């Protein structure tokens, strides 16, 4: 499928994928690879997972006749969803030179163990490869999202092949963003950012976005999901905003429950937050794909967590959700805890530790023995009011 003159999508789709880094992409995903064809040579940018490689080969051969004609194979990133078929691609294209950042070359050689290192060439910022009428330039983007990550640019087409950056899990028929359901792809973009790209230090994202803005792409083609051509400015601005540390006056509430008491408390907290005029989105941890709550946590000034005590500690399904919080970029957030207990308690202590590790300012913990009494409800209402004021004021 043609992306623009001389550049083709030769990727693969994996609609049955339901386990991606333990997340559950409900639409599966695509592994986008691109073929850049000039008058003097052809380059394949990224590959796919090994079991889908035959599909990629067929798409390449549809354009250039024979896979062995490839002059270059670019490895933008070492993760196996994009590099998994590299060894086989090198075997089928014995004349192709493999291009990657220095760390990317080291990673590929280590991952496969037995590839001929003389076929690899490390590239750095500003390096260019002339394909005849079209060229490749390289923009290393370390820690967006791995140390060896880079984008490949085709300046003659104002095209940026950005690998995981700007990706989304989407496998519909659309190739471009303006052909896809907008609300879905923007939500998937945010889920992908929050769960894969966002890290404790957002500096590398800011740097990469600034470099891309300077390049001035007309098309951003990531390695998952649709290609951005209408929404280029929009997605660059969104990445810039998400990396800025901004939070909004809203609350993400994550809870779980054993016998329904903490669930009742979660319902009350959500109602009270609504009464305080705050938008709140509620997730039950054990039945929710983490990408969903991570997307909302990303820019929420308020984080409310409901967990009962189990074996003198926090209920494990909630601890699972909170582990992700520690990986996220630190920003000004306020935390509210709540939960029921049967005898000794312990969830409160564990939650405080999670909040502290995530840089979240804890407003308090509302607890109730077995079921919340009238007095417990009054105490909870007051604490939620205090929390809401902080979220509204501090966002
Ligand atoms: Fe799509 Fe980081 O791999």
């Amino acid at each position: 499928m043609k992306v623009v003159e001389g550049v083709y999508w030769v990727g693969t789709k994996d609609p049955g994928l339901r386990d991606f880094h333990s997340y559950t992409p409900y639409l599966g995903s695509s592994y986008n690879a691109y073929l850049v064809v000039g008058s003097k040579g052809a380059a394949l940018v990224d590959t796919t997972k090994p079991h889908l490689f035959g599909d990629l080969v067929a798409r390449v051969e549809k354009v250039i006749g024979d896979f062995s004609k490839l002059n270059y194979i670019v490895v933008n990133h070492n993760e196996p969803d994009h590099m998994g078929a590299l060894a086989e691609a090198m075997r089928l294209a014995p004349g192709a030179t493999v291009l990657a950042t220095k760390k990317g070359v080291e990673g590929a050689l280590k991952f496969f163990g037995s590839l001929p290192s003389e076929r690899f060439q490390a590239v750095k910022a500003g390096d260019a490869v002339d394909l005849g009428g079209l060229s490749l330039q390289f923009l290393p983007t370390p820690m967006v999202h791995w140390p060896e990550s880079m984008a490949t640019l085709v300046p003659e087409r104002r095209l940026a092949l950005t690998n995981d950056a700007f990706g989304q899990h989407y496998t519909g028929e659309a190739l471009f963003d303006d052909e896809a359901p907008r609300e879905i792809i923007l939500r998937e973009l945010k889920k992908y950012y929050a769960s894969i790209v966002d890290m404790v230090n957002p500096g590398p994202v800011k740097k990469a976005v600034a470099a891309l803005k300077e390049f001035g792409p007309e098309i951003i083609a990531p390695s998952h999901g649709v290609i951005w051509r209408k929404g280029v400015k929009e997605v660059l601005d969104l990445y810039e905003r998400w990396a800025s540390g901004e939070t909004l006056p809203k609350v993400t509430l994550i809870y779980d429950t054993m016998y329904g008491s903490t669930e009742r408390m979660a319902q009350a907290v959500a109602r009270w937050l609504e009464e305080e005029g705050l938008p709140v989105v509620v997730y039950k941890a054990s039945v929710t794909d983490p990408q969903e709550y991570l997307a909302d946590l990303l820019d929420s000034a308020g984080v409310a967590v409901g967990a009962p005590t189990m074996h003198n500690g926090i209920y494990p399904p909630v601890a699972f959700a909170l582990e992700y919080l520690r990986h996220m970029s630190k920003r000004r957030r306020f935390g509210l805890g709540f939960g029921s207990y049967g005898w000794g308690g312990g969830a409160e202590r564990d939650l405080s530790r999670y909040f502290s590790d995530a840089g979240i300012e804890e407003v308090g913990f509302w607890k109730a023995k077995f079921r919340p009494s009238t007095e417990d409800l009054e105490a909870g209402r007051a604490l939620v009011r205090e929390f809401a004021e902080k979220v509204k004021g501090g966002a």
Side-chain angles (χ1 to χ4, degrees), residues 170-185:
Y170 178 79
T171 53
E173 72 278 20
L175 181 62
F176 295 101
D177 60 325
D178 49 279
E179 301 165 338
R182 197 138 199 87
E183 205 172 320
I184 291 177
I185 54 171

Side-chain angles (χ1 to χ4, degrees), residues 20-21 29-31 77-82 145-146 148-149 163-164 169 192 196 223-224:
F20 184 88
H21 300 201
S29 199
S30 64
Y31 314 117
H77 175 35
N78 283 160
E79 272 202 281
D81 49 342
H82 311 298
H145 69 126
W146 273 26
E148 85 297 349
S149 295
N163 200 264
D164 280 326
H169 290 310
Y192 200 87
I196 300 285
S223 58
H224 298 281

Side-chain angles (χ1 to χ4, degrees), residues 132-145:
L134 293 180
S135 63
L136 306 180
Q137 287 185 7
F138 306 99
L139 175 66
T141 54
M143 301 320 293
V144 184
H145 69 126

Side-chain angles (χ1 to χ4, degrees), residues 54-316:
D55 199 27
L56 183 150
V57 172
R59 292 185 199 281
V60 169
E61 296 199 328
K62 191 85 184 159
V63 181
I64 60 171
D66 196 318
F67 196 86
S68 67
K69 290 183 184 168
L70 283 176
N71 304 88
Y72 298 98
I73 301 168
V74 178
V75 176
N76 275 331
H77 175 35
N78 283 160
E79 272 202 281
D81 49 342
H82 311 298
M83 191 189 69
L86 176 63
E88 190 59 7
M90 289 174 71
R91 195 181 67 76
L92 291 188
T97 300
V98 181
L99 306 171
T101 60
K102 185 168 176 287
K103 279 195 163 68
V105 172
E106 289 166 5
L109 291 173
K110 181 76 176 69
F111 182 85
F112 289 99
S114 59
L115 294 178
S117 59
E118 66 278 8
R119 290 187 57 190
F120 285 77
Q121 184 183 322
V123 293
K124 57 186 186 317
D127 285 354
V129 168
D130 180 20
L131 298 173
L134 293 180
S135 63
L136 306 180
Q137 287 185 7
F138 306 99
L139 175 66
T141 54
M143 301 320 293
V144 184
H145 69 126
W146 273 26
E148 85 297 349
S149 295
M150 72 171 180
T152 297
L153 311 176
V154 183
E156 297 80 5
R157 298 289 180 265
R158 310 309 311 162
L159 168 66
L161 308 172
T162 53
N163 200 264
D164 280 326
F166 306 101
Q168 347 85 50
H169 290 310
Y170 178 79
T171 53
E173 72 278 20
L175 181 62
F176 295 101
D177 60 325
D178 49 279
E179 301 165 338
R182 197 138 199 87
E183 205 172 320
I184 291 177
I185 54 171
L186 287 176
R187 174 70 180 170
E188 290 298 319
L189 178 84
K190 191 175 188 190
K191 285 164 61 176
Y192 200 87
Y193 182 92
S195 62
I196 300 285
V197 179
D198 185 55
M199 290 195 192
V200 171
N201 175 13
V205 175
K206 290 182 193 172
K207 206 170 154 188
V209 170
L212 281 169
K213 282 193 165 180
E214 195 180 323
F215 171 66
E218 288 174 5
I219 302 174
I220 289 181
S223 58
H224 298 281
V226 296
I227 296 168
W228 304 96
R229 65 178 176 191
K230 183 177 177 211
V232 168
K233 183 179 182 311
E234 184 179 10
V235 297
L236 283 168
D237 288 348
L238 281 171
Y239 261 47
E240 196 168 59
R241 178 142 70 80
W242 293 332
S244 73
E246 175 191 74
T247 53
L248 303 171
K250 60 179 188 177
V251 176
T252 300
L253 188 159
I254 302 168
Y255 79 97
D256 220 301
T257 194
M258 282 190 283
Y259 290 105
S261 293
T262 302
E263 186 160 58
R264 288 184 191 195
M265 296 169 84
Q267 290 161 354
V269 169
R271 275 198 315 277
W272 294 333
L273 288 168
E274 287 162 17
E275 286 168 18
E276 295 295 329
L278 275 173
V280 54
V281 57
V282 181
Y283 293 107
K284 185 173 181 181
S286 59
V287 294
T288 305
D289 172 20
Q291 287 192 296
E292 298 294 345
Y293 49 74
L294 291 176
D296 287 298
L297 282 170
L298 181 70
D299 51 7
S300 287
V303 181
V305 178
T309 289
M310 181 177 179
H311 299 157
N312 299 317
I314 194 165
Y315 190 43

